[in-house]
């Protein structure tokens, strides 16, 4: 019996990422509006570079998608990753 991978069938990789380091307080008082700290921005850029090295994303790579919550810290993390991968982001 041949496995589906050995047969050359397509497979899907799902990578779930938690947002980068966020501020403790929100400018509006709402958790949804907490931005990333500077460290969180560095973490997002680092992760984008690491994913690019793994050939999991980037312009011209079919099927790759970047999806993020609309929460400020998640959006900023996705933007930092996308600055390297150039996939566009679905919120």
């Amino acid at each position: 019996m041949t496995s589906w991978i050995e047969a050359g069938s397509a497979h899907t990789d799902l990578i779930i990422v938690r947002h980068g380091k966020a501020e403790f307080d929100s400018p509006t008082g709402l958790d949804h509006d907490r931005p990333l700290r500077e460290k969180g921005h560095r973490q997002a850029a680092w992760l984008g570079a690491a994913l690019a090295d793994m050939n999991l994303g980037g312009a011209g790579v079919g099927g790759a998608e970047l999806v993020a919550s609309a929460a400020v810290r998640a959006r900023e993390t996705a933007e930092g990753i996308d600055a390297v991968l150039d996939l566009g982001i679905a919120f």
Side-chain angles (χ1 to χ4, degrees), residues 10 26-27 30 35 38 41 53 59 63-64 77 81:
S26 162
L30 299 173
E38 183 56 39
H41 287 285
D53 287 344
T77 300
I81 294 168

Side-chain angles (χ1 to χ4, degrees), residues 13-15 17 47-67 78 80-89:
D13 293 315
L14 174 65
I15 299 173
V17 175
L47 183 56
L51 291 171
D53 287 344
M54 295 171 62
N55 294 317
L56 296 174
V61 176
E65 294 183 63
L66 184 56
V67 180
I81 294 168
D82 193 50
V84 178
L85 299 181
D86 192 28
L87 297 172
I89 308 166

Side-chain angles (χ1 to χ4, degrees), residues 9-70:
S9 297
H11 72 279
T12 300
D13 293 315
L14 174 65
I15 299 173
I16 299 173
V17 175
R18 187 173 188 268
H19 59 78
K21 182 71 172 175
E23 293 289 349
F24 296 110
D25 296 316
S26 162
T28 65
L30 299 173
D31 183 63
H32 182 272
D33 295 331
R34 288 190 305 129
L36 290 181
R37 299 181 77 138
E38 183 56 39
K39 180 177 182 176
H41 287 285
R42 289 192 308 268
Q43 291 170 328
W46 177 89
L47 183 56
L51 291 171
D53 287 344
M54 295 171 62
N55 294 317
L56 296 174
V61 176
E65 294 183 63
L66 184 56
V67 180
S69 161

